[in-house]
Amino acid sequence: MKDYKKYYVLPATPEEIYTALTNPLTIELWTGETAVMSTEIGSEFSMWDGSIVGKNLEFEENKKIVQQWYFDGQEAESIVTIKLHADKNGTSAELRHTNIPDSDYEDMTEGWNDAYFGSLFEFFSL
């Protein structure tokens, strides 16, 4: 199991980024795929038409999102924490993803950089 931590600077306010990460209609806009999302604690979510699934654990409006991501056959919980901080260029998003299975690590880090935060950056750069 591996952990991943990285900071991303996005050209939008923390409020806009939070909405983009928690509103299913907005998620569909920047991912181009069907999404199921709710800010209800304990609710399950699905992004990229089911490629990413998990459970919502904690929300602090416009500041923090904590989710459990599911991996087949994994015993230890894989926790994703995204903290949003105002930045002179928009928002600094602090990502921490714990307990990534070794076999999924490269795909996950590439996904975070390109598909997830890369797509968010492009969406707000238009």
Side-chain angles (χ1 to χ4, degrees):
M1 302 291 237
K2 295 182 179 179
D3 294 348
Y4 184 67
K5 184 174 181 178
K6 187 167 180 178
Y7 290 87
Y8 301 86
V9 176
L10 302 165
T13 66
E15 293 79 14
E16 291 170 321
I17 300 299
Y18 183 84
T19 298
L21 296 175
T22 60
N23 182 308
L25 297 175
T26 310
I27 293 169
E28 289 179 25
L29 288 175
W30 63 268
T31 65
E33 302 282 347
T34 303
V36 174
M37 182 63 70
S38 165
T39 53
E40 183 179 328
I41 303 302
S43 63
E44 296 205 333
F45 68 90
S46 171
M47 296 174 64
W48 275 280
D49 209 19
S51 295
I52 298 173
V53 292
K55 181 168 55 172
N56 292 308
L57 302 178
E58 181 184 342
F59 292 97
E60 189 176 338
E61 191 171 359
N62 304 324
K63 294 183 180 181
K64 183 167 131 181
I65 299 166
V66 182
Q67 299 171 320
Q68 177 184 349
W69 285 28
Y70 300 152
F71 291 92
D72 286 338
Q74 181 174 339
E75 292 180 21
E77 292 183 351
S78 182
I79 304 297
V80 169
T81 303
I82 299 172
K83 295 181 181 178
L84 305 174
H85 309 279
D87 180 87
K88 65 181 178 180
N89 297 313
T91 298
S92 171
E94 174 188 340
L95 166 71
R96 182 157 190 239
H97 190 167
T98 63
N99 293 328
I100 303 169
D102 293 347
S103 60
D104 293 311
Y105 186 79
E106 282 188 41
D107 285 342
M108 286 305 305
T109 57
E110 185 177 301
W112 279 119
N113 293 328
D114 299 337
Y116 202 96
F117 283 102
S119 294
L120 267 175
F121 185 87
E122 286 180 25
F123 179 75
F124 284 108
S125 295
L126 299 177

